[in-house]
Amino acid sequence: GDSVTQMEGPVTLSEEAFLTINCTYTATGYPSLFWYVQYPGEGLQLLLKATKADDKGSNKGFEATYRKETTSFHLEKGSVQVSDSAVYFCALIHDNNDMRFGAGTRLTVKP
Amino acid sequence: ETGVTQSPTHLIKTRGQQVTLRCSSQSGHNTVSWYQQALGQGPQFIFQYYREEENGRGNFPPRFSGLQFPNYSSELNVNALELDDSALYLCASSFDQATAKNIQYFGAGTRLSVL
C-alpha cells in the first residue's frame, strides 16, 4: 500500500540556517502530496501541497517540489527562525480519502 | 468562522472500558475524518464520515466505531480499550470528501491514556 518515509529527527539548527527535510513516497498512480506542521499542543496545520508532478508548493518561506522521477517531496527553507520549531509531517492522499502520513520530523531552531 | 474543536482534551481510562471522543467540525464542513497518532508517530487514518455515512475506513478493528450527526459533528467510540489504544486522537474536517482540493483542518486532539 501507499506509504511515506521521512528523514529521522530530531533536527537542530541555528537561526538563519538552511533547512531540508527529506520525504519520499511509495504509491500507485499520482497521489497529491502535503506538508503539515504541528506546534506543541496544537493540531496539524497545512503548510503546503502539490497535486501533480513538477508542482512546487510554497508558503511562509517553505518550499517543496513534487518529483515523480525520484518519488520525493523534500521540504526546504532558506533561513529558519526560532518560531519554525515544530514537528513536520509529509503526507499523501489519493481520492480514497485515506491520507498517509510519515512519522514526522522534529525541528528545533536555536537563537 | 470557528475551527475544529475536540473534547475532552485529556482522558484516562482502564483496560476493557469504553470511551467516546467528540469533534465539532469547522463551519460549513460536512466531512469528518478521525486519526490515531501514537507517540512519536504520524497520524493513522481510522475512518471518515461524509453526510452522516461512513465513507472509508483504515486498518482498525470494529471496536472503533463512529457517528456523524445532522450538524456534522462527530463521535469516535472505542470499546474494550487496550493499552495500545493510548494515543492522541485527531479529528479533521473538510468541505466534502478529503482530497487534494478539499483541505482537511485539524483539531488539537484528545490525548487518551489507557492504564
Side-chain angles (χ1 to χ4, degrees):
Chain A
D2 296 351
S3 66
V4 176
T5 302
Q6 289 181 234
M7 66 182 283
E8 291 187 14
V11 174
T12 302
L13 296 173
S14 297
E15 206 165 23
E16 299 184 5
F18 185 85
L19 169 70
T20 299
I21 300 178
N22 290 337
C23 170
T24 57
Y25 69 90
T26 301
T28 56
Y30 298 90
S32 295
L33 303 175
F34 303 81
W35 277 100
Y36 278 85
V37 59
Q38 187 175 35
Y39 298 101
E42 299 184 15
L44 278 69
Q45 299 175 24
L46 177 66
L47 184 58
L48 52 84
K49 66 171 184 174
T51 59
K52 60 183 186 295
D54 300 326
D55 263 4
K56 177 184 282 189
S58 61
N59 186 27
K60 300 180 181 179
F62 291 89
E63 293 183 340
T65 301
Y66 190 143
R67 300 287 189 199
K68 181 73 175 170
E69 63 277 11
T70 55
T71 62
S72 65
F73 193 55
H74 305 322
L75 182 68
E76 296 182 337
K77 186 176 186 183
S79 176
V80 293
Q81 306 301 313
V82 172
S83 57
D84 294 327
S85 298
V87 181
Y88 292 81
F89 293 93
C90 185
L92 67 79
I93 197 168
H94 275 129
D95 287 336
N96 63 352
N97 310 319
D98 181 355
M99 181 170 271
R100 301 292 176 94
F101 287 85
T105 302
R106 181 175 299 278
L107 169 67
T108 301
V109 180
K110 296 187 174 181
Chain B
E1 164 179 294
T2 57
V4 179
T5 58
Q6 293 186 241
S7 63
T9 306
H10 295 89
L11 205 51
I12 300 174
K13 292 286 188 178
T14 57
R15 272 187 306 174
Q17 285 188 313
Q18 179 265 343
V19 68
T20 297
L21 310 182
R22 295 179 174 83
C23 172
S24 293
S25 58
Q26 185 164 310
S27 177
H29 288 180
N30 59 14
T31 302
V32 172
S33 301
W34 286 92
Y35 293 84
Q36 181 194 66
Q37 186 179 9
L39 197 62
Q41 300 297 316
Q44 290 194 24
F45 177 69
I46 302 174
F47 44 57
Q48 181 181 96
Y49 277 82
Y50 171 62
R51 296 187 177 182
E52 303 180 55
E53 296 288 331
E54 187 177 294
N55 181 48
R57 186 179 184 93
N59 188 27
F60 281 81
R63 59 189 184 85
F64 285 78
S65 63
L67 282 173
Q68 188 178 33
F69 301 98
N71 67 355
Y72 302 127
S73 65
S74 178
E75 289 182 353
L76 165 66
N77 299 290
V78 187
N79 293 322
L81 283 167
E82 300 177 0
L83 296 179
D84 285 349
D85 295 334
S86 296
L88 180 68
Y89 288 84
L90 295 168
C91 166
S93 76
S94 58
F95 177 69
D96 272 353
Q97 301 168 67
T99 63
K101 182 179 177 182
N102 299 324
I103 301 301
Q104 296 184 87
Y105 293 85
F106 284 80
T110 294
R111 173 76 61 189
L112 172 64
S113 298
V114 182
L115 306 179

